[in-house]
Amino acid sequence: FTFQVIIDEKEFPQAEGKSKQEAKDAAAQLAFDILNSEHQEDGHANVSEVSSAGDYIGLVDSIAQMQNLSVNYEHFVSNTESSQR
């Protein structure tokens, strides 16, 4: 399974997982890591302070909510997924 996080039209890298939930969480982790490094470069507070003990979907959702941004988790269907249906 493959997911990608999109926050206010900003696309983050796609991530894969063995289940939809695993792929979605992996995509959220990538987005969180990028957001965290961008905020550190800008001199802002570390966004990891919004800790949810590794719940990256919750972290990304919290960050977006604090900044009043929309979040979308885009599911990509690969050829292998569509052939398994």
Side-chain angles (χ1 to χ4, degrees):
F1 295 94
T2 305
F3 270 85
Q4 177 183 36
V5 176
I6 302 169
I7 300 176
D8 257 14
E9 299 181 19
K10 179 179 180 178
E11 297 184 2
F12 291 87
Q14 296 178 12
E16 295 182 356
K18 294 177 184 175
S19 68
K20 285 183 179 181
Q21 185 64 36
E22 185 179 298
K24 189 175 176 181
D25 196 54
Q29 182 176 1
L30 286 174
F32 173 78
D33 290 343
I34 291 168
L35 290 169
N36 196 24
S37 66
E38 287 175 356
H39 281 259
Q40 287 177 347
E41 289 172 7
D42 292 344
H44 291 101
N46 189 339
V47 294
S48 64
E49 293 170 3
V50 186
S51 181
S52 288
D55 173 18
Y56 290 101
I57 295 169
L59 286 169
V60 168
D61 290 347
S62 293
I63 292 166
Q65 186 176 22
M66 287 188 325
Q67 298 178 9
N68 202 26
L69 304 173
S70 64
V71 179
N72 185 31
Y73 296 90
E74 188 75 28
H75 177 224
F76 293 89
V77 179
S78 67
N79 291 336
T80 54
E81 282 183 68
S82 57
S83 66
Q84 292 175 353
R85 293 182 181 172

